[in-house]
Amino acid sequence: FKENRKDDIWLVDFYAPWCGHCKKLEPVWNEVGIEMKSMGSPVKVGKMDATSFSSIASEFGVRGYPTIKLLKGDLAYNYRGPRTKDDIVEFANRVAGPLIRPLPSQHMFEHVQKRHRVLFVYVGGESPLKEKYIEVASELIVYTYFFSASEDVLPEYVTLPELPAVVVFKDGTYFVYDEYEDGDLSSWINRERFQGYLNVDGFTLYELGDTGKLVAIAVIDDKNSSVEHTRLKTIIQEVARDYRDHFHRDFQFGHMDGNDYINSLLMDDLTIPTIVVLNTSNQQYFLPDRHIESTEDMVQFINNILDGTAEAQGGDGLLQRIKRIIYDAKSTVVSVFKSSPLLGCFLFGLPLGVISIMCYGICTADTDGVVDEHEAAKKENGDRELTDEGSEEEQEEEKNGKYTELSDGELKQKDIMEKKKD
């Protein structure tokens, strides 16, 4: 494979045998292989045990499992989207094809526009802008398609100020790239590759982090058709549509079904329906200080964020990192016990039991030591008493010593008294 891979285009799943996510991907990957073969795609589908062939995995920069890459000549493209058959097949077909796809007729343009919600088109002949467009396409082809067309192929409602030009078609209208207002072409395409309003999930939110935009989300329950859920979703949609010129450079709008992902992201319990604005670059978030009743309330909330008067919560500071570690540990323990109580008892009960036995042993050893020290101290005190009192011989010697200290007259008097006594 290493010697001959450049002769073909490969879609490879780098996996580890012990990885749970890899095992979950396996049936989907088998469907991808069958689909690519049945449609006659030139892309060959394979998988490689990255733990057995670590040198090859390291050569392609594999750092986690599973990692999906499309290998095309000297280039390797990472897949970062949802792990579904349709999404993976669409990624492979897009990246395996030409970087810039020509649109030779109006009929072809209309056909492609119906298939793609976001469409980037270069209009014009050879120019430095086209060279830059090709360069950006080689980098961002993993996310979106890139096309080229002549001006007469475009719809009649399109008016270009000058040629050459790069145009994006989305949200029922079009926008022309302006180098002076929009800055770098790559940054502009990266920002504009999403629709103005999205159904946001975890993968989409992760990708939105590359745009540098704040993400304003209505967190709702899609199955709940109550007025409040519908109203908040409608407010976000109206702001995205009616205030695009004011906010599209700084904000991405959408809604998210359910609050589980948001709760884990914010380390907080948000009651739905609600609105939250996320800064994915530094993990800060903003919550409205009052109930959002109308589009005007939402616009005011966004303006407060832009001018710095809205209070930011969260962040990536040291305290938040410590809080994240504690939260993740707690979530892991809870999830283990919920999914498998017996496994949780074994995983956490066994270490706690061992630690308890060790603590008991240490405490018992300290108690014995205290008793021994007490006995030793008692013995030492006894020896001191014995030493202070002295032996019988020492006492006799001391007595005799006292006699020698008496005078001669006292000795005679003592002898007389003893004789009388006898």
Side-chain angles (χ1 to χ4, degrees), residues 107-122:
H107 177 74
M108 180 62 70
F109 182 92
E110 293 171 359
H111 172 73
V112 170
Q113 192 175 22
K114 290 178 181 178
R115 291 189 57 194
H116 302 284
R117 297 176 179 177
V118 180
L119 191 68
F120 289 97
V121 182
Y122 173 82

Side-chain angles (χ1 to χ4, degrees), residues 90-264:
E90 199 269 342
F91 161 80
N93 289 331
R94 180 174 68 248
V95 180
L99 285 177
I100 311 297
R101 291 169 165 82
L103 299 175
S105 65
Q106 288 186 355
H107 177 74
M108 180 62 70
F109 182 92
E110 293 171 359
H111 172 73
V112 170
Q113 192 175 22
K114 290 178 181 178
R115 291 189 57 194
H116 302 284
R117 297 176 179 177
V118 180
L119 191 68
F120 289 97
V121 182
Y122 173 82
V123 184
E126 299 296 327
S127 68
L129 181 60
K130 184 176 183 179
E131 294 178 2
K132 182 64 177 177
Y133 184 72
I134 295 173
E135 180 184 339
V136 173
S138 65
E139 174 189 356
L140 301 180
I141 189 69
V142 293
Y143 300 120
T144 187
Y145 287 89
F146 293 87
F147 298 90
S148 64
S150 59
E151 189 174 12
D152 58 354
V153 170
L154 303 180
E156 295 181 357
Y157 63 83
V158 177
T159 302
L160 301 179
E162 61 179 359
L163 293 178
V166 177
V167 188
V168 59
F169 294 86
K170 66 175 184 179
D171 301 330
T173 184
Y174 70 97
F175 307 96
V176 182
Y177 167 68
D178 187 325
E179 183 178 1
Y180 298 102
E181 291 187 3
D182 300 316
D184 181 63
L185 179 62
S186 177
S187 300
W188 179 77
I189 291 177
N190 205 24
R191 292 195 305 268
E192 296 292 341
R193 63 187 176 90
F194 296 98
Q195 292 178 279
Y197 182 89
L198 297 170
N199 184 354
V200 181
D201 56 16
F203 284 104
T204 307
L205 195 59
Y206 180 78
E207 288 191 16
L208 287 173
D210 296 335
T211 66
K213 292 183 178 183
L214 299 175
V215 186
I217 304 175
V219 186
I220 63 173
D221 183 359
D222 273 339
K223 298 178 181 178
N224 192 324
S225 58
S226 66
V227 176
E228 184 66 11
H229 288 256
T230 306
R231 186 178 61 81
L232 288 183
K233 182 178 178 180
T234 302
I235 288 174
I236 295 292
Q237 288 175 329
E238 290 178 353
V239 173
R241 182 188 68 240
D242 299 338
Y243 293 85
R244 185 191 186 283
D245 292 339
H246 296 84
F247 300 135
H248 82 280
R249 296 180 187 276
D250 302 303
F251 280 85
Q252 175 66 52
F253 299 93
H255 78 274
M256 177 174 281
D257 181 20
N259 61 347
D260 291 341
Y261 186 84
I262 290 293
N263 287 346
S264 64

Side-chain angles (χ1 to χ4, degrees), residues 6 9 14 31 36 62-63 94 101 103 174 189 237 242 244 251 284 298 353 357 375 405 412:
K6 292 184 180 180
I9 302 174
F14 293 91
E31 293 178 2
M36 298 297 286
V62 176
R63 296 173 182 169
R94 180 174 68 248
R101 291 169 165 82
L103 299 175
Y174 70 97
I189 291 177
Q237 288 175 329
D242 299 338
R244 185 191 186 283
F251 280 85
Q284 287 185 342
M298 187 65 198
I357 293 173
E375 292 295 335
E405 292 176 359
K412 289 180 181 180

